[in-house]
Every structure is written in structure tokens, then in C-alpha cells.
Amino acid sequence: MLQPISLTGQNFLSYETLSIDFRKGLTRIEGINYDKNGADANQTGKSSIFCLFCWTVFGQTLRKIQAGEVVNNRKSEHGESREALGEFNFKSNKSDYLIRRSRKTGKHSTTQVSVFENGVDITLSEKPQEQIDRLLGVDFKTFQILGVFSQYSNLKFISMTNREQKDVIESVIKFDRFDEYRQRCKDKLKLLYEKITNEQGSLSTTRSEKQRLENELEHINEKVDGSDAAKKLKKYVKELHQLELDHAIINTQLEENAAVESKWGRKRREIEAQMLSVTKRIQKIEKLHDTCPTCEQNIDNKIKAKILKDCSVELRYLGLKQVEYHDKEKKYYSTGEVLQTQLDEHEEKIAELKPKISALEERNKWIEDADKRKEYIEGEIKQCQQSEQISIQEIEKLKYKAKHYDFLEKAWSPDGIESLLFDTLLPFLNERGNHYLKKLSDGRLSLAFATLKQNKSGSFKDSFNVQIEVFEGGKSYGACSGSEEKFGDIAVQLALRDLCKAVGRDVPPILFLDEVFDSIDDTGCARLLPFLCEEVPGSMFLISHKPALKQNSDHVLRVTKKKGISKVKYE
């Protein structure tokens, strides 16, 4: 709970120094302007006290004074430029806090802000005002609605636009959190949609690659499936193997046959040599005369006849053998010719098969390479299919998440939970507003918060609005008298303070009343001021020219102005 302690200032507007305490109860602020012979209480600097508080705490003033204009432009005794300084002391959660704001004169001067907790500087360098708003639980606009009834404030809730009224309600119950949540959902949605787009791009690339691989596989299959190279190669290799085996067998048979043929030829030649020798012997014997030419002895013709007979027998025997051997030799020679013909035929077939086999082997190598390529492509297609399935599942997951975040984004939008809460808040605001307005107007006024507004055609449209009804008069805010308008404004602002409490927010126990009673008659003032003192605990500061209000204050703070310098003093 925030407990204001004190407000001090230096060189702020018409003040050189200023110090006030936040005393419980009603503090009436009176003014005497000695620069106007003390006869006029105006322009003494009374409202500047409220401006100092708002400037010190929020960096803004109720009269929308520019930042450089808050500095008292009088030179110091030594001719140095002055520095406006404001300090607000308060307690919260058992800690002592000090907010300090200062600004020097000069075109390029900037406002300096510091926040202290128990004497330690805790200022956030980047966003000190947001830090202050969090500490106080209220920003400037909300404070103007909840803590200020001023002639300078144009924040009259009832006369605000539909959007402005909703902004005030949002500020009171911190609907800005909904904007934060909604923005988080939007950021998450943006990220999810980016991921979906990327995943869809990846899926498209995967599908294109899969299609390319399937086309290549189809092309290879057409070539491979239409080729019987493997079958032909297998057949030709088998034939070649058989031919080479038969060739080896025939060549062996040919060699064996040649050896046998050679053997019988050799024997035939040996026989023929023997026959030639016998024939020569016979011829030699036949040429012999009766006497031996060597020893010159007589030759016995019987012996000669016997020798010739033996030679003839031997020659006939040898002739038979020669015919036998010659027939055998001729037989093996014929067999050799047949074998040689077979061998030549096999060599010719082998010579024909080898180029075919070589061509088929080259073709078959391409087919083997194609089979390897097919195996690789089929593996790649399988990976593509897996990647495709993963991408599809991931896209579905992302879309499912996006659907939920889209739902949440709409839920946090003004048309979602916020709209539902507005409808829920209406009975509370109506009850509290009418509770206060009944007391203030003695039952002559009532108000109604609504989220629908009726058009001239009789139809309704979404529009947050507040209507004031005067039982003896009209139903619009514009139809009310000045005092009735004030009653309506005050009832609404008090209802908003109650709403703030109801949603668990601290309401600053400060209320600035700046000439809000001047348009209210004495009877109304007599009813309003005690009512405010009863309904608003804490520190109230009242500026009013109404004599009737002088008797109802707990404290008096007198402001005097002399030679352009304002001073304050408690009486």
C-alpha cells in the first residue's frame, strides 16, 4: 500500500523552494497575491503544487506545460542559471522510496530522473518512467482520472470518446497486459508462420527432388528392363566355356592322334627301309654269277635259290606289314584331319563369341552401374519420403500450434476476453456509480454504463458509453446543469477508484481538488465535501474560492506570492 510522505521542490514555476506534507484528511490551500495588493487569491501558485507533484512523479503537468518551461527563469545571485528540482518521498511494502526529477534551463537541457529505495539508487537507465509507474501502480493518465478533479483537466470520463473511455478502463484494470499477451501471441504466430513457410519450402524442395529421382529411376528401368544382355552374356559365356573345354579335349585328342599317326608312320618307314634293304639284297644276289666276286669261290645255286626264296618270303612279310602300317597311319591321319576341322570350327566359334562377350560385358557393366545407381536412387527416394513425411507432420504440428496461438491472439484482442470483461464490469460500475450519484444528487440522478449504443435507426452498435439520467429532465450528459455534470463526473471517477480496488490495484491515497466546487451551489458543496472526505481516505488537497468550504478542512496550507515568488506555509 502506497503511503505518501512529502513533496519538495526548487525553482519550479513561481517557487524558489517548496515543501509540503501529505497529511491525512483535507488540506485547504489558500492564496494571497501581494503583487495585487493581497486582494486577489488568483495566480499565487496554488495549482502549481499539483503540477509539481505530477511533474516530479510523471514528468508531465496538468496544464501541459512544456518541459523547459517548468524551470524558474530567474537568475541566481551569482547570475547562474537555475535548476528545477522535485522530490517525492513515499513508503511502499515497508521500504522508503524517493523519486527525484530535475531539469536545467537551456535549449539542449534534458530532464534527469532518479529512483531510490532505502537510499540506494535503483533507477533503470532505459525506462525509468515505466519503473515509477510500476512502483506507484498507476500511470499519469490513470492518476488524472483517479486522483485529480481539476479545472485544468480535460479528462472528464463521461464526455470522452468511446475509445478514450475504453482506454481509461484498460488503464485502470491493466488491460495493457492483454496487449502484451496479444503481442506475444502475434510474435509467436509470426515465428510459427515463418517456420511453416520454411517447412513448406523444404517440403516443396524435397518433393521436387523426389520427382527428379523417380524420373531418373524410371528412365534407368526402361533401359535395364528392355535389355537381355545379362541373359545373353550368361549364355555366351557358357557356350564359350564349353567350346574352350571341347577345344582343349579335341586338341588333346589331336595331339594323341598325331603321336599315334607318327608312330605308325615311323614303323611304316622302318618297314619300307627293311623292304628296300631286302630288295637290294635280292637284286645283289640275282646279279651274282657262279663265282663269288670277293673270295672267287664257286657259289652253290641251291644256296642262292634258298637265299632268294627267304628274301622273297621276308619281302612279302614286310610288304604286308608296310600295308598294315600304312593303313593305320592313313586312318590316324584321317582322324587328325577330322579333329583339326573340329578344332578349327571351335576356334572360329570362340573367335566369334569373344567380341560378343566383350561387348556384352561392357553393356553388363553399365547395367551393374545402373543397378548400383538404382539402389542409390531408391535409397534417396526413401529418404525423401521420410523427409516428406517428417515435414508434413511438422507442418501439421506448427499449424496446430498456430491455430491455438491464433485463438489466444483473438482471445486477448479487444473483441475477446477484454470485451467479456467489459460486459462483466458493467454491473459493478453501474452499482458503484449509482451508489455515489444517489448520495450526491439526493436521488435525482442516475447513470448507466453500457457497451451498446442505439442508433437513430433503432439498431445497436458496439460502443462503450456512460449515460446520465435526470429524473426531472433529459437523459444526456449535455442536458445536465453544471453541478449535475460535476456530480456525474465525480460519481464515475469514484466508481473507477472502486473498480481499481476491486481488481487488486492500489489506488494512490491522494486526491487533488482544484476549483471543482465553483460551479456547485452551497447546498451541493455542503453535501459533496463531507461525502468525499468519507469516501476517499488519505490526503486530499482542496483549492476553492467557496467561503462555505472554509469550515470543513482539517489543515490549511497558505500560498503567498510576492515579487513574483511563491511560498507555502502550514497554518
Side-chain angles (χ1 to χ4, degrees), residues 214-474:
E214 288 174 344
N215 291 340
E216 183 180 353
L217 183 62
E218 184 179 358
H219 178 71
I220 292 173
N221 284 333
E222 287 177 355
K223 283 192 171 183
V224 172
D225 293 345
S227 172
D228 56 353
K231 293 180 181 179
K232 286 183 178 179
L233 179 62
K234 186 176 180 180
K235 176 184 176 183
Y236 289 165
V237 168
K238 185 177 180 180
E239 287 183 17
L240 178 63
H241 178 72
Q242 188 62 47
L243 286 171
E244 287 176 340
L245 183 63
D246 292 345
H247 180 277
I249 293 172
I250 292 171
N251 192 54
T252 300
Q253 290 177 345
L254 185 61
E255 289 175 354
E256 291 175 351
N257 187 80
V260 174
E261 178 190 355
S262 176
K263 181 185 75 171
W264 291 118
R266 186 176 62 255
K267 285 186 177 184
R268 175 184 60 76
R269 288 190 295 276
E270 289 174 356
I271 290 297
E272 287 178 347
Q274 289 178 12
M275 288 177 66
L276 180 61
S277 176
V278 172
T279 301
K280 287 181 179 180
R281 198 177 355 153
I282 289 173
Q283 290 175 351
K284 185 177 180 180
I285 290 173
E286 287 179 345
K287 288 179 180 180
L288 290 176
H289 295 289
D290 294 333
T291 303
C292 176
T294 303
C295 65
E296 294 182 353
Q297 292 182 4
N298 292 327
I299 297 172
D300 188 349
N301 286 328
K302 288 182 180 181
I303 293 173
K304 180 180 178 181
K306 187 177 180 308
I307 291 171
L308 286 172
K309 183 178 178 181
D310 290 340
C311 287
S312 295
V313 172
E314 184 180 359
L315 187 61
R316 282 197 298 275
Y317 173 77
L318 290 173
L320 291 173
K321 285 294 182 181
Q322 188 270 344
V323 170
E324 179 185 352
Y325 292 164
H326 180 268
D327 289 342
K328 288 184 177 182
E329 181 186 14
K330 186 176 179 181
K331 174 184 175 184
Y332 281 100
Y333 176 78
S334 298
T335 301
E337 284 186 333
V338 172
L339 290 173
Q340 186 62 50
T341 300
Q342 291 178 353
L343 193 64
D344 293 342
E345 289 176 351
H346 279 65
E347 287 179 351
E348 184 179 350
K349 288 181 179 180
I350 289 171
E352 289 178 357
L353 279 175
K354 282 185 175 181
K356 291 182 179 180
I357 289 172
S358 179
L360 286 172
E361 283 177 341
E362 185 175 347
R363 171 68 176 169
N364 200 52
K365 185 178 182 304
W366 179 89
I367 292 174
E368 289 176 356
D369 291 341
D371 287 339
K372 291 179 181 179
R373 179 63 181 169
K374 279 175 60 178
E375 184 177 354
Y376 170 77
I377 291 173
E378 287 169 349
E380 288 295 300
I381 289 175
K382 187 175 181 179
Q383 287 187 358
C384 285
Q385 290 171 338
Q386 292 173 347
S387 298
E388 181 181 19
Q389 192 61 33
I390 290 172
S391 291
I392 291 172
Q393 291 174 354
E394 184 63 22
I395 289 172
E396 289 301 315
K397 288 180 182 178
L398 291 171
K399 285 184 176 180
Y400 181 77
K401 287 184 178 179
K403 181 179 178 182
H404 281 70
Y405 277 104
D406 183 62
F407 171 81
L408 290 174
E409 189 272 331
K410 291 177 180 176
W412 295 124
S413 72
D415 296 328
I417 298 174
E418 184 177 326
S419 177
L420 180 62
L421 284 176
F422 267 109
D423 291 337
T424 305
L425 295 174
L426 290 186
F428 178 85
L429 289 173
N430 284 328
E431 188 276 325
R432 298 313 298 162
N434 282 304
H435 165 76
Y436 295 124
L437 194 54
K438 182 178 180 180
K439 288 185 177 182
L440 289 171
S441 67
D442 199 19
R444 292 182 297 105
L445 302 176
S446 66
L447 61 77
F449 288 85
T451 56
L452 294 176
K453 188 174 183 179
Q454 189 172 17
N455 296 321
K456 292 180 180 180
S457 62
S459 60
F460 289 88
K461 68 174 182 179
D462 289 333
S463 177
F464 189 85
N465 63 94
V466 184
Q467 295 178 352
I468 300 292
E469 182 175 354
V470 183
F471 292 139
E472 298 88 0

